[in-house]
Amino acid sequence: MATWFISDLHLEPARPASTQILLSFLQHLGREADALYILGDLFEYWIGDDFLQTPPGQQVLPILQAIKAVTEKGIPVCVQHGNRDFLLAEQFAELAACQLLPEQQVIDLYGIPTLIMHGDLLCTDDLDYQQARLLFRSPQWQQQILALSIPERLQYAQSLRRQSQQTTQAKPEDILDANQNAIEAAMRAAQVTQLIHGHTHRPAMHEFELDGQAAKRIVLGDWYQQASFLRVDAQGLRLSAKFD
């Protein structure tokens, strides 16, 4: 039995291959799984749960049904918000039969207390992004956005995506990565020596010393070019582009 972690799938109709990999993976979970954690950015964008009532939104229903099929096998599926799908809410969770987690959560991972998060909070050197994040996560801003029509929200989401791509390309690489001081502060606050996150699209396992103790940070990869899976069991961890 194992616990699985994925992040930054950025699913959208324009990239059907990623959706097919996810559906195959979810079917695979029927063989061996204690739980599945999706650490943010399951979708390229999410403009509100009422999007599911529209023809474009109904295209994602097979994904939600596949997640629900996993939970019906007795495998918990837990989802955290990312910086692209932070408007996921109760209707999504109900249709997928999954649990929405807070942005930081400590879990017991085979005897090791582990902090899990999307990871964007750790990129503290990117001041512009952190300011935008505060705005997007505010209840007032979200109410204003959800009051717009579906076409208006779609147009706005696509505009934000284009703007994000342009600004990201113009920034130095180190600014876009997680800040080590922020990493250590988050782990101290959670009282853990192990952290799993996504967001930076830089899959790796980092080992370092935290207050005299051996610490580990596992970064999940994105699904733009290939998939990224973290499998954890009592014997250890495996980060791979394949799930079989």
Side-chain angles (χ1 to χ4, degrees), residues 4-12 15-30 36-38 41-43 60-68 70 77 79 92 223 226-229 241 243:
W4 292 84
F5 298 84
I6 56 178
S7 178
D8 298 280
L9 285 71
H10 297 279
L11 301 180
E12 61 174 335
R15 296 171 48 249
S18 295
T19 298
Q20 290 304 314
I21 294 172
L22 174 64
L23 296 178
S24 298
F25 168 62
L26 293 174
Q27 290 180 338
H28 167 84
L29 283 182
L36 168 63
Y37 290 89
I38 304 173
D41 284 356
L42 173 60
F43 298 102
V60 307
L61 289 178
I63 299 171
L64 275 58
Q65 293 164 355
I67 295 173
K68 183 178 181 181
V70 172
V77 178
V79 179
F92 161 81
W223 285 37
Q226 62 181 7
S228 179
F229 303 91
F243 59 81

Side-chain angles (χ1 to χ4, degrees), residues 51-181:
F51 178 60
L52 290 166
Q53 310 303 322
T54 68
Q58 290 174 357
Q59 295 181 48
V60 307
L61 289 178
I63 299 171
L64 275 58
Q65 293 164 355
I67 295 173
K68 183 178 181 181
V70 172
T71 67
E72 289 176 341
K73 297 174 184 176
I75 302 169
V77 178
C78 301
V79 179
Q80 289 181 312
H81 294 99
N83 56 294
R84 298 293 185 89
D85 56 11
F86 51 84
L87 289 176
L88 290 172
E90 290 79 9
Q91 187 179 2
F92 161 81
E94 181 179 353
L95 289 174
C98 65
Q99 180 183 0
L100 286 174
L101 296 179
E103 62 185 17
Q104 298 187 56
Q105 180 77 36
V106 175
I107 62 174
D108 185 336
L109 199 54
Y110 305 101
I112 301 176
T114 301
L115 174 63
I116 61 173
M117 59 195 304
H118 179 56
D120 56 336
L121 276 173
L122 303 174
C123 300
T124 55
D125 294 326
D126 191 346
L127 300 181
D128 292 339
Y129 171 78
Q130 295 300 331
Q131 289 179 345
R133 187 186 189 281
L134 284 175
L135 174 65
F136 297 155
R137 297 301 181 98
S138 68
Q140 296 84 358
W141 182 89
Q142 294 186 7
Q143 288 174 4
Q144 292 175 358
I145 291 300
L146 293 174
L148 299 174
S149 67
I150 294 291
E152 288 172 327
R153 277 182 261 165
L154 276 173
Q155 184 177 12
Y156 186 58
Q158 292 165 355
S159 173
L160 284 178
R161 182 168 59 174
R162 289 192 298 269
Q163 181 180 348
S164 174
Q165 291 171 342
Q166 292 171 357
T167 57
T168 297
Q169 292 173 356
K171 291 177 180 178
E173 284 292 317
D174 56 339
I175 287 181
L176 301 174
D177 204 357
N179 177 282
Q180 186 63 27
N181 290 332

